[in-house]
Amino acid sequence: KLYELQNNESAIIEGLTVNEHAETRLSEMGVMPGTIIRMIRKNPFGGPIQLKVNNYYLAIRKEDALKINVKIDDNV
């Protein structure tokens, strides 16, 4: 899961297990299968996480990050 990445760790998004509305919202932000994503920082107490996607930064909820499947690739 995306939320399980450590700070500054990168991975490739494999899939989303969210509802259609959330999938549309995330894909508009560039969070879609095949995209390289990097964990910047997790906020304490389950707050939003900060990510880098396609050369820009964004924050998403922990609940959404737990529904994004990623694959760690050493070449990323």
Side-chain angles (χ1 to χ4, degrees):
K1 304 291 181 191
L2 175 60
Y3 190 77
E4 296 168 358
L5 291 178
Q6 300 301 314
N7 290 348
N8 277 331
E9 191 172 21
S10 296
I12 298 172
I13 298 173
E14 286 194 321
L16 308 170
T17 56
V18 295
N19 62 39
E20 186 176 333
H21 174 72
E23 185 173 359
T24 301
R25 182 175 48 83
L26 289 168
S27 65
E28 288 173 350
M29 293 187 286
V31 179
M32 60 185 92
T35 303
I36 297 171
I37 195 163
R38 181 166 54 115
M39 174 71 72
I40 300 300
R41 190 176 94 151
K42 293 181 195 177
N43 288 317
F45 309 112
I49 62 168
Q50 297 173 355
L51 306 167
K52 184 173 184 182
V53 182
N54 296 330
N55 293 323
Y56 64 92
Y57 296 90
L58 61 100
I60 65 171
R61 298 179 303 175
K62 176 183 177 180
E63 296 82 25
D64 290 333
L66 288 169
K67 296 177 181 178
I68 299 172
N69 299 317
V70 296
K71 176 183 175 187
I72 297 174
D73 189 349
D74 295 330
N75 298 325
V76 179

